[in-house]
Amino acid sequence: TTAVNGGRIGGELSILFDKPGVPLTCKYEALELMADENTAPLVSQVFPGMTVEGTISETRTITFNLFPHKDLPPYPQEHGLTILRQGMLIGPAEPRWVSRLFPKLALKEYPFELAHNVFSRDPNDGHITNDMVLVGKGQYNIYITGVTQADNSTNYTLGVDVSLLPQTPEQRHTWKQGRVHLLTYTGQIIDHKWARRTTSFVWPTRTAWDMLIKNNPLRPVIEQRRKTD
């Protein structure tokens, strides 16, 4: 373990000589690093347009084969968690109907107390899945979820979390209750920056569906009743 930027970084390596490909696993953790120029890449890799003034923590496990083989997955297997504290997400200005529906929501400059991102890489095709929960400062909580492909093309959804139940970030990742889709990001990310980006807000009717039907607490009861009738 090494002290860095007010926090600490540590890791360990393990290797399995008796497994096909001789997999090497690296476990890495960075805990409570103070944000500055040195840690900026850790922030930008989470999602372009984010800045942090507080601390950055990350745990990551990556496994790759020292001797690749055609019968083995071509990409490393990877998973982890990134936690950012006291930051800002810069995004597109919301249309008027979003401002009317969520009057305290400001996506153009969204200050957050906490960003909690769970990520994983598929070893078969190399795509990376991210599921991020952001706790806003005096605003609605939001989420960003989606995929970055091996060629860096992206498809992400951003929305508001309207769940009234007290939940930990881990529970919000698992249950995904109260999520109301607002917009979609598509494009390509290169060197942790948008090389090209298109943002499109959903129709208000889709948001109304998410709020009134999809996230209605009585929906599971109604669907179960239909199955038994």
Side-chain angles (χ1 to χ4, degrees), residues 34-80:
M34 294 301 299
D36 64 7
E37 294 180 357
N38 295 325
T39 56
L42 287 175
V43 178
S44 59
Q45 74 178 0
V46 176
F47 199 75
M50 298 186 75
T51 59
V52 171
E53 296 181 354
T55 61
I56 303 160
S57 297
E58 182 173 275
T59 58
R60 183 186 298 261
T61 300
I62 180 170
T63 301
F64 60 92
N65 296 307
L66 293 179
F67 300 98
H69 189 274
K70 62 180 179 66
D71 294 330
L72 298 174
Y75 294 92
Q77 184 174 11
E78 187 174 2
H79 62 87

Side-chain angles (χ1 to χ4, degrees), residues 46-175:
V46 176
F47 199 75
M50 298 186 75
T51 59
V52 171
E53 296 181 354
T55 61
I56 303 160
S57 297
E58 182 173 275
T59 58
R60 183 186 298 261
T61 300
I62 180 170
T63 301
F64 60 92
N65 296 307
L66 293 179
F67 300 98
H69 189 274
K70 62 180 179 66
D71 294 330
L72 298 174
Y75 294 92
Q77 184 174 11
E78 187 174 2
H79 62 87
L81 167 67
T82 305
I83 300 175
L84 311 176
R85 299 185 185 276
Q86 306 300 325
M88 178 79 72
L89 172 65
I90 305 300
E94 61 279 354
R96 183 174 299 178
W97 69 264
V98 173
S99 300
R100 289 177 176 176
L101 192 59
F102 303 105
K104 294 183 179 181
L105 181 65
L107 296 178
K108 191 173 182 179
E109 292 185 350
Y110 179 87
F112 60 84
E113 296 181 1
L114 173 73
H116 196 275
N117 184 53
V118 174
F119 61 88
S120 62
R121 181 192 294 270
D122 188 313
N124 294 304
D125 64 12
H127 80 264
I128 299 173
T129 301
N130 289 278
D131 189 78
M132 182 174 7
V133 174
L134 294 94
V135 178
K137 290 184 178 181
Q139 298 198 53
Y140 296 91
N141 298 336
I142 66 173
Y143 70 92
I144 300 174
T145 185
V147 170
T148 298
Q149 301 292 346
D151 64 357
N152 295 319
S153 61
T154 62
N155 190 307
Y156 283 90
T157 294
L158 181 149
V160 175
D161 185 344
V162 298
S163 175
L164 300 178
L165 297 175
Q167 301 177 58
T168 65
E170 290 81 7
Q171 290 171 331
R172 293 184 185 276
H173 289 299
T174 302
W175 297 340

Side-chain angles (χ1 to χ4, degrees), residues 11-31:
E12 63 180 57
L13 296 173
S14 62
I15 187 170
L16 297 175
F17 291 100
D18 59 340
K19 298 293 183 179
V22 188
L24 173 66
T25 297
C26 174
K27 295 182 179 181
Y28 149 89
E29 66 175 8
L31 301 177

Side-chain angles (χ1 to χ4, degrees), residues 97-98 100-103 140 159-164 177-182 203-219:
W97 69 264
V98 173
R100 289 177 176 176
L101 192 59
F102 303 105
Y140 296 91
V160 175
D161 185 344
V162 298
S163 175
L164 300 178
Q177 293 295 314
R179 293 188 170 188
V180 177
H181 183 185
L182 289 183
W203 286 96
T205 50
R206 166 61 189 273
T207 298
W209 162 266
D210 285 351
M211 293 183 65
L212 301 177
I213 306 299
K214 178 181 176 182
N215 291 300
N216 190 323
L218 296 178
R219 186 185 181 195

